[in-house]
Amino acid sequence: PKILTDDYKFSMSGTYYAPPYAQERQAYTDFITSLPLIAAPEVYGLHSNADITKDIKDTNILLDSLMSTQSRDTSGGGAGKSQDEIISDVATDILERIKPNFDTETIQRAYPQNYYDSMNTVLVQEAARVNNLLNVVRTSLLDIRKAVKGLILLSDALDAVGMALFNGRVPAMWLKKSFPSLKPLASYVKELCERVDFFQNWIDHGPPVVFWLSGFFFTQAFLTASKQNYARKFKVEIDKVDFDFDVVDDMENCKEKPEDGVFCRGLYFDGASWDFEKHTLTEQPPKILFMPVPVIWMVPKETSKFKEFQFYNCPLYKTADRRGILSTTGHSTNFVMSIRLPTAVVADHWILRGLAMLTSLSD
């Protein structure tokens, strides 16, 4: 094994290696003393960016602790606005930005159930989920504006909504009906509007050539529909069908819909990047934590016909939490699927890096 050779290095920098043989114990003691006092991420097979991730996490914990100790004083306290005024202003701003509900009956008429195109059903179901969230958001914002004016009783649930708006966080009441998200309030509202626009464009102009995978509430339903279309088209048992994957290096190849499967965008690498010239995974740039993933062609195939190549089975999660609970549908609320990606190094390298893909970032 290479590890038994004298010039074997345990890390890319060459700092960590087995010292040469010596007869005196002091030589080994001196070597150990010469090592850095604080171990670098490379010791554990991690990228140097892991230090930045750790520091961000520690800072967020500190800030969350400070936020939990802040005063609940709602008075103006000088020339600035009071807490109630700020909450009312934030609620008004969000109400002006969110879009009206979808007319699901009109959508059903325009996109009726089709045995050979399950995407119609996915669109109707997704529109209904968006409506449920918009109803909760709109109702809670209208109620909190009335509550801070003293027109209705401020319940515990509304009080929690008000404090979340004041602190720039997404209210827990919304998250119960929402897509998983770790974003702050402003980014969350922006993403909600973008999701509505995505489905509205689908309704107005038909299915897109490239689907925004991050925009779906129930991503697994969309992916299953694509496999179902293939299975029904070729009269194959769906249990024998799964996705093979092809990363699209040139967007010129995404101008028309694929014959089978779907083009998907909107994903992010957490722990790597993509080499367009070599068509393989590569290390992420220093100080850049997340890199956009190129468009991926998800190709339904019989599993016996999959391409053979050296790959890393990259897990795809909805958020950076990388954990979820098992829902009543049998799917995780966070984990989506594993995607085979070509790699020039062994898969163990990326496992140590903790490489995963995300559909949504935390900022």
Side-chain angles (χ1 to χ4, degrees), residues 19 46 55 62 65 68 91 125 148 165 167-168 183 201-202 227 240 247 250 256 260 272 277-278 300 310 328 354:
L46 300 173
D55 293 341
L62 173 62
S65 301
S68 66
Q125 292 176 346
V148 296
L165 296 180
N167 293 327
K183 293 180 179 292
N201 187 68
W202 185 345
K227 291 192 289 186
K240 296 180 180 179
V247 180
D250 188 356
E256 296 182 357
D260 298 303
E277 294 183 358
K278 298 180 180 179
Q310 180 170 276
T328 54

Side-chain angles (χ1 to χ4, degrees), residues 190-206:
K190 180 175 180 288
E191 182 177 358
L192 174 58
C193 293
E194 289 173 348
R195 286 172 182 253
V196 175
D197 290 339
F198 168 66
F199 290 115
Q200 188 62 60
N201 187 68
W202 185 345
I203 294 166
D204 295 339
H205 306 290

Side-chain angles (χ1 to χ4, degrees), residues 308-342:
E308 294 294 333
F309 58 93
Q310 180 170 276
F311 66 89
Y312 168 64
N313 217 21
C314 186
L316 172 62
Y317 296 94
K318 293 183 179 179
T319 69
D321 251 359
R322 299 197 186 190
R323 57 186 173 88
I325 58 176
L326 200 64
S327 64
T328 54
T329 60
H331 297 91
S332 168
T333 56
N334 203 341
F335 176 75
V336 178
M337 65 192 304
S338 293
I339 297 178
R340 300 195 311 158
L341 296 174

Side-chain angles (χ1 to χ4, degrees), residues 2 12 45 47 271-275 278-284 309-314 340-355:
K2 292 182 180 180
M12 296 292 291
H47 193 275
S273 182
W274 184 255
D275 189 325
K278 298 180 180 179
H279 191 75
T280 184
L281 289 169
T282 187
E283 297 292 349
Q284 62 190 137
F309 58 93
Q310 180 170 276
F311 66 89
Y312 168 64
N313 217 21
C314 186
R340 300 195 311 158
L341 296 174
T343 172
V345 297
V346 294
D348 288 349
H349 173 82
W350 300 113
I351 293 174
L352 288 174
R353 284 285 196 260
L355 171 59

